Amino acid sequence: MLRVVVLGAAAGGGVPQWNCGCPVCREARNNPALQSTQASIAISADGDHWFLVNASPDLRQQLIATPQLHPEGGKLRHSPIAGVILTNGEVDAVAGLLSMREGWPFTIYAHPKVLSILNANSIFNVLNAKNVRRQPIEQDQAFEPALPDGVPSGIEIVPFAVPGKSAWYLEGKAHPGGDSEAGDTLGLRIRDKASGRHFYFLAACAGITDDLRARLAGAPLVFFDGTVWRDDELIAAGLGAKTGQAMGHIAMSGDSGAIESLAGIEIGRKIFLHINNSNPALLPASPERKIVERAGWQIPADGTEITL
Ligand SMILES: [Zn+2]
């Protein structure tokens, strides 16, 4: 059995974003049901030990809100979190690591390209190397994250390349991990070894290839990049100068958007994740939300737990 908890469903900045006055953010400030923390999920095969997929800047708030991740009763120092798997080096995927610096042993699993970012930024040395191992993972090579005592977790993860971009703050700068395109954006296939049940996690994806369509066909569950509704959304709203594509994110709508590109492919449950506050599909009464739901997609509330 695989348990999955959506810790946060929002893109960078969350909903509402601190300095944003867009319609979604304005409404979310007065409506807690619309508020969402930055994208991350927690997974467990045994219900006792958990792994985070990405560590968002909202991690502290997410852990308070998630009883499954609280320390075990009666122990002075404890966390059910055994590791963190990073799919990219964006601020919204790695900054939460800085909230995990109180001496609990866990392992960070990431592509060497992303590990190079952690290694190049000395602030991440607050994670004492004696307690917190940094384990490289490679595309198309399955790995099984381990519990703190080295016992296999029962979860098999296959990272694979998806179209994407380097972290935004590295744009136009030398990447500490070199020029190779590989490794900046990973999708994950996550499988419970005992039951064979699996799902896919893609918090960032700039386009859907035939290879990706074939990969996702037949999956019981897919979490997919839902950053923007339309590619020029930030520009049209006067919020920014970048398209979704320029940020490495496919749009939900349009002929080459996620909804259309994945229509007709058999997927048990389709959930958007990493949804930007500018995205009108966040508003339950919006026409965009109706289109999302009619196409069989869901927008999850933080804290949603799914059992596979
Ligand atoms: Zn906003």
Side-chain angles (χ1 to χ4, degrees), residues 30 37 55 63 65 91 143 153 174 260 267 274 277-278 287-288 307:
N30 299 316
T37 60
L63 297 189
V91 172
F143 69 98
S153 62
E260 188 60 34
I267 297 172
H274 197 271
N277 60 78
S278 57
E288 291 86 358
T307 301

Side-chain angles (χ1 to χ4, degrees), residues 9 18 27 32 63 71 88 113 115 176 178 200 214 217 239 242 250 292 294:
W18 72 289
E27 194 160 333
L63 297 189
N88 64 78
K113 198 89 186 283
L115 287 181
Y200 284 89
L239 290 169
K242 289 211 169 197
I250 190 175
V292 164
R294 270 204 303 270

Side-chain angles (χ1 to χ4, degrees), residues 17 20-22 25 239 277-278:
Q17 189 173 354
C20 189
C22 80
C25 288
L239 290 169
N277 60 78
S278 57

